[in-house]
Every structure is written in structure tokens, then in C-alpha cells.
Amino acid sequence: MDADLTPMPLVLMYHSVEPYTEDPYLVTVSPRRFERQLRWLRRRGRRGVSMRELLAARRAGRGSGLVGLTFDDGYADFVREVLPLLISYDFTATVYVVAGSLGGHNSWDVPGPRKNLMTALDVATVVAAGMEIGSHSLTHIRLPATADDDLLLQTRLSKELLTDLAGQEVSGFCYPYGAVGEREVASVRAAGYDYACAVQTTPVAGRYAIPRTFIGDRDAAPRLYAKLARHRLTAGRAA
């Protein structure tokens, strides 16, 4: 296990942040709740950072107090709702973008609420603000169900497209639905990524399947304390 992943860092997993009336898949956090969660982190002496920043700091022995902030799917509300708050708190984050769906919507959640996705201009805005862009595949499908050729497109082509768009190296990958096995890990590694995020701890947990902690709209301070405690208990086992 890499030194920067021993024990496993605390990484929070978000999706969408915006006002809402229905959220059947529990992917949306209200802006008010999100701001309170950032405030909770700061009061605990923690700073939210991108995965790129987190891993680099831990590699250099400066990771104390840092928490990974990740946002799956690349929703347009990241620019509108999340980015201003991150800047005000001096936090950074990683946004995992579905490379083949820029400017589209979350077709994988039909018949759930339609949510717009970031455009190419939004990606440029996020990068200019100091955030990290990562790949969330090409088309947001379960990778273990794909043929080898399609898996290559989902990992390597998405990286190439986003690297060109962001104007900087895209070093992080995030598995759609957290679905990952040894074949998917090998593909991500071969595509040249530095790390990858999963969801829960898996048999392939490690640099290319970093487990994360789901954060939702019900996560007020008591639940955040519980999730932090659970991470402390399981981080060593995951590593």
C-alpha cells in the first residue's frame, strides 16, 4: 500500500447541490445544508481539498486535517452552487465528469429528476478556479458489464478528451456506480491515471479503488460525527 494511503484518507462523496423538491436517488444536497457541512469541517479543524491535493499532501507528509471532497457526474449546479462556497472557505474539490455527456443531462437516472451537466465552458471555469477535473467514464455505464474494447474507451478515451478540454493532465478516475473489479482496476492503471475512487470498501481497495463516505442532505452534525467515527474504525482495515 502506498504511504499516502496508509491509513486510507477520509474522502467525502457528493453528487448534486441545489434546491430541490424531489430526490428519489438521494443524490442532492441543499445549498444551505452543504454550507453547514463545510462549516462543520472547518470548525473541526479540517479543510476540504481535491483528491490531487490530498494525495500530494499526504505523499509529502502534510496531510493532517485534510479531507477529500469529490463530486460525481459533473452537474452544472457545481459551478452555480458549490464553487462560490468552496472559494469562500478556501476549500478545493474534485469533479468527476462524464466525458461523453458534456452539456447534456443525467440520462442514467431516468425517470428521476432531470439535472443538467457541466458544459465545456463550465469545465474551464472550474479548472481556472483551482479545482480538479477527473473522469467518470465516457457514458456512465457499469464497467464490469462492458466488453474489453468498450472498457478501453470508457477509461482511456475519456481521459484524453478531458485532458484536452481541461488543458491539464487528468489523473483521477471514478467508477460509475462504484462498480469495480480487478479488470477495471487494470484498465484504469493502464490508461495512465494516478488514482481512482470507488464508493465503499471493495476487495480491490487501494490506490485504484479508494473508498469514500457518502454525504447526503440528512447529514447534519450528529450523522457527520458518526460517519467520521466509522471512518476512523475502518480506515486501517481498508488500507
Side-chain angles (χ1 to χ4, degrees):
M1 175 64 66
D2 299 84
D4 53 351
L5 292 175
T6 307
M8 278 289 181
L10 176 62
V11 180
L12 306 185
M13 179 183 71
Y14 288 91
H15 287 79
S16 171
V17 177
E18 65 175 352
Y20 68 93
T21 56
E22 57 176 325
D23 185 34
Y25 304 125
L26 303 180
V27 298
T28 310
V29 175
S30 71
R32 184 178 182 185
R33 174 68 74 195
F34 179 64
E35 196 277 333
R36 289 179 175 178
Q37 291 167 346
L38 297 185
R39 189 189 317 158
W40 185 89
L41 286 173
R42 187 169 66 180
R43 287 178 174 174
R44 307 282 83 71
R46 305 262 178 152
R47 177 172 179 258
V49 296
S50 67
M51 290 301 297
R52 177 180 59 203
E53 186 174 346
L54 175 65
L55 296 178
R58 286 173 65 100
R59 200 174 292 131
R62 298 182 286 100
S64 178
L66 299 184
V67 176
L69 295 183
T70 63
F71 293 79
D72 291 8
D73 301 339
Y75 291 109
D77 57 54
F78 182 89
V79 178
R80 184 178 65 253
E81 303 287 354
V82 178
L83 190 57
L85 284 171
L86 293 179
I87 292 172
S88 71
Y89 275 81
D90 190 30
F91 286 6
T92 59
T94 300
V95 187
Y96 295 110
V97 175
V98 181
S101 296
L102 288 168
H105 68 281
N106 55 331
S107 58
W108 51 87
D109 280 340
V110 173
R114 181 183 176 114
K115 290 178 176 287
N116 292 330
L117 301 175
M118 290 167 55
T119 64
L121 180 58
D122 289 334
V123 169
T125 299
V126 167
V127 170
M131 308 298 152
E132 178 189 13
I133 292 292
S135 171
H136 200 31
S137 81
L138 190 64
T139 59
H140 201 288
I141 59 176
R142 293 182 183 274
L143 299 185
T146 62
D148 290 345
D149 288 347
D150 194 17
L151 178 59
L152 187 64
L153 293 176
Q154 298 291 332
T155 56
R156 183 167 297 175
L157 181 57
S158 67
K159 184 179 192 297
E160 293 172 355
L161 291 173
L162 291 174
T163 295
D164 288 344
L165 190 61
Q168 61 181 236
E169 184 68 17
V170 171
S171 60
F173 187 86
C174 177
Y175 303 97
Y177 307 102
V180 55
E182 292 183 0
R183 185 185 71 128
E184 291 70 48
V185 165
S187 181
V188 168
R189 186 194 298 266
Y193 292 96
D194 179 58
Y195 74 90
C197 285
V199 178
Q200 300 172 338
T201 300
T202 69
V204 293
R207 185 169 205 85
Y208 290 94
I210 299 171
R212 296 179 294 166
T213 298
F214 168 83
I215 300 295
D217 202 37
R218 295 185 298 170
D219 289 324
R223 290 172 63 95
L224 292 173
Y225 276 117
K227 291 187 175 186
L228 177 59
R230 183 176 63 186
H231 170 76
R232 287 171 173 167
L233 290 173
T234 60
R237 293 200 296 270

